[in-house]
Amino acid sequence: MKYLAPSILSADFTNMAQQIRYVEMGGADIIHCDIMDGIFVPNISFGASVVTAVRKVTKLPIDVHLMIKSPDRFVKDFINAGANYISVHAEEVVHLDRVLNLIKENGAYAGIAINPSTGISYIESILETLDFVLVMSVNPGFGGQKFIKYTANKINELNKIRSLKNLNYKIEVDGGIDKSNIKEVSNYGCDIFVAGSAIFHSGNITATTLELKNIIKG
Ligand code: DX5
Ligand code: ZN
């Protein structure tokens, strides 16, 4: 099963409920929320109160991508706000095992996000405990950047390790995904596809969502 996860970072914030309705009409599976603090990444987005608002207008699972310093401080807040998936960055969290347990104990799926330059080997020993791995295919911080090609090798590698070791984690890709590259990334074994600007800046949100969904459905 392949899932499309529109990132509301590129949505029109003055019409959030409508924008979410548009992606739902196109068959979106998950709503991706990018949380940025201006320290871990050079941009500030929004916090748990926006996730609470999103929760009120959709029944879709909410995927919260924490690009913030010491994300453990806010895990419960985001789960209370309605997050179903939470990812924290390997580059930021020293005690990854502890934070992942915190996420799971509070009832959400737990994932680790890795920057383009972070290798799989750093998280290999913990893969068996993960619900998902988020492979950043741009440097985190902004929507609308270009897909970094070498990151696809890590998706391929994660897919191979998963079958070799008979593990269950999902592989999520985030950054620069559009109709020109989503098929190739899917072929590498990716399961969850985040797309922000390709959907919300397309001129027809519902049609583009549908188009991307149809490509990954194969
Ligand atoms: C980047 C974010 C992404 C971003 C993707 O730091 O993690 O989720 O919204 O946007 P696009 O699809 O425009 O690259
Ligand atoms: Zn993201």
Side-chain angles (χ1 to χ4, degrees):
M1 177 80 185
K2 306 267 184 183
Y3 305 89
L4 185 63
S7 163
I8 58 166
L9 186 66
S10 296
D12 174 358
F13 283 19
T14 65
N15 282 308
M16 193 57 88
Q18 172 223 60
Q19 302 268 292
I20 290 173
R21 220 161 31 242
Y22 285 161
V23 294
E24 284 181 339
M25 284 159 56
D29 302 290
I30 294 170
I31 301 295
H32 184 83
C33 294
D34 288 304
I35 314 300
M36 305 177 180
D37 66 353
I39 301 173
F40 178 68
V41 289
N43 191 16
I44 296 175
S45 58
F46 51 81
S49 57
V50 170
V51 176
T52 302
V54 170
R55 181 74 293 162
K56 286 187 183 149
V57 298
T58 186
K59 290 194 165 57
L60 290 178
I62 295 177
D63 173 30
V64 166
H65 176 194
L66 292 177
M67 288 164 277
I68 61 176
K69 275 273 163 205
S70 306
D72 51 301
R73 296 172 297 155
F74 296 104
V75 161
K76 282 187 189 160
D77 287 356
F78 281 101
I79 292 175
N80 289 338
N84 306 96
Y85 294 73
I86 296 206
S87 58
V88 296
H89 267 265
E91 302 80 12
E92 166 58 23
V93 177
V94 178
H95 303 291
L96 272 173
D97 183 77
R98 180 178 291 149
V99 179
L100 293 163
N101 284 328
L102 177 69
I103 296 170
K104 288 191 220 169
E105 280 160 14
N106 284 278
Y109 293 117
I112 296 180
I114 53 172
N115 283 338
S117 60
T118 302
I120 304 297
S121 58
Y122 185 70
I123 58 166
E124 196 161 351
S125 57
I126 204 174
L127 284 175
E128 64 184 56
T129 76
L130 294 182
D131 295 308
F132 66 106
V133 180
L134 188 164
V135 177
M136 286 303 305
S137 41
V138 298
N139 290 297
F142 303 93
Q145 302 180 80
K146 202 172 165 315
F147 183 83
I148 299 172
K149 283 200 174 145
Y150 68 76
T151 61
N153 298 331
K154 293 195 286 182
I155 294 170
N156 193 20
E157 210 182 317
L158 281 165
N159 188 35
K160 284 186 178 153
I161 296 172
R162 179 169 56 184
S163 18
L164 208 67
K165 297 192 175 172
N166 210 7
L167 299 178
N168 288 315
Y169 55 81
K170 298 222 178 322
I171 306 169
E172 178 173 22
V173 67
D174 185 4
I177 291 294
D178 59 26
K179 61 182 174 188
S180 76
N181 56 28
I182 196 166
K183 183 73 201 165
E184 190 182 343
V185 177
S186 179
N187 290 341
Y188 280 124
C190 190
D191 310 287
I192 306 173
F193 303 81
V194 177
S197 53
I199 289 177
F200 289 104
H201 297 169
S202 68
N204 190 331
I205 295 170
T206 300
T208 307
T209 306
L210 197 64
E211 190 179 4
L212 293 174
K213 267 284 293 200
N214 281 336
I215 300 175
I216 56 178
K217 269 201 303 202

